[in-house]
């Protein structure tokens, strides 16, 4: 099976603009030319920075796990095993209800 092709710069820009539009952010409101007085990034600078994050950040974030040794910390245990909405049904499906 072949590996998926990485997205092109145009595809990344469309993805970024769409995600920002869904959040109510319009990159077109940023200046096209640098403004040394305010230091506001230009559209191109913002897109370049967001492109860099999208291509590298999520993979690094998704692979991160808190450093836990021995018995998991309470916060990690909650994330690793979130509470079930209907535990009785799940226990019946998995056979854990019969052990009671």
């Amino acid at each position: 099976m072949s590996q998926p092709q990485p997205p092109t710069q145009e595809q990344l820009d469309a993805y970024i603009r769409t995600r920002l539009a869904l959040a109510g952010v319009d990159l077109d409101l940023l200046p096209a030319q640098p403004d040394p007085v305010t230091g506001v990034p230009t559209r191109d600078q913002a897109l370049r920075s967001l492109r860099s994050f999208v291509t590298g950040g999520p993979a690094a974030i998704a692979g991160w796990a808190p450093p836990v040794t021995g018995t998991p910390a309470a916060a990690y245990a909650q994330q690793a095993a979130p509470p079930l909405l209907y535990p009785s049904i799940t226990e019946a499906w998995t056979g854990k209800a019969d052990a009671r």
Side-chain angles (χ1 to χ4, degrees):
M1 188 180 301
S2 65
Q3 294 293 325
Q5 296 296 319
T8 64
Q9 184 171 336
E10 292 79 22
Q11 290 170 330
L12 281 174
D13 289 351
Y15 171 75
I16 291 166
R17 286 183 176 276
T18 302
R19 293 297 301 244
L20 289 175
L22 290 172
V25 177
D26 185 8
L27 281 180
D28 292 330
L29 296 177
L30 291 174
Q33 301 298 323
D35 184 3
V37 176
T38 61
V40 175
T42 64
R43 291 178 211 140
D44 293 335
Q45 290 172 329
L47 265 175
R48 191 176 328 116
S49 176
L50 289 167
R51 237 184 274 121
S52 173
F53 173 77
V54 168
T55 56
I61 293 169
W64 182 84
V68 179
T69 59
T71 305
Y76 178 70
Q78 282 183 335
Q79 290 179 355
L84 297 170
L85 187 57
Y86 301 105
S88 60
I89 296 171
T90 304
E91 288 179 0
W93 287 341
T94 59
K96 292 181 180 179
D98 299 333
R100 291 187 195 172

